[in-house]
Amino acid sequence: MYQSIEEKAANLLYLIVKNHGFSDGNKRIGASMFLWFLDENQLLYREDGTKRIADNTLVAITLLIAESNSGEKDLMVKLVVNLINKNN
């Protein structure tokens, strides 16, 4: 369904944050699951040991997703994919 691990991670973050599957903490749970997924797939850290996405960047993108219109899903997913892309 998704062409890359980055795309899976971005959709995981987006869908948990936007679909409100939990009564509270959807942004926190979404961000935590996103980080866990990246770590499980060896994408959380670059080869030099630095995080692929900074904590403050994750907070900002999570809030941006939460405030975005549903019609902007593809844009939000592409933004996250570009932030965590292995080539960056």
Side-chain angles (χ1 to χ4, degrees), residues 17-87:
V17 169
K18 287 301 274 188
N19 286 342
H20 296 281
F22 303 97
S23 61
D24 190 29
N26 290 284
K27 291 185 288 290
R28 289 186 300 263
I29 293 167
S32 296
M33 292 301 299
F34 176 73
L35 292 174
W36 173 82
F37 186 84
L38 289 178
D39 193 36
E40 286 293 309
N41 289 282
Q42 290 79 44
L43 287 174
L44 184 57
Y45 298 99
R46 292 185 184 96
E47 290 182 19
D48 65 1
T50 59
K51 277 189 175 179
R52 193 169 300 281
I53 186 167
D55 293 340
N56 59 348
T57 304
L58 180 57
V59 169
I61 197 70
T62 302
L63 291 172
L64 181 64
I65 288 170
E67 296 297 321
S68 69
N69 294 324
S70 297
E72 298 174 327
K73 178 183 183 274
D74 292 338
L75 178 64
M76 295 294 115
V77 168
K78 283 181 185 181
L79 178 63
V80 175
V81 168
N82 286 331
L83 286 171
I84 61 173
N85 192 318
K86 290 181 195 177
N87 299 323

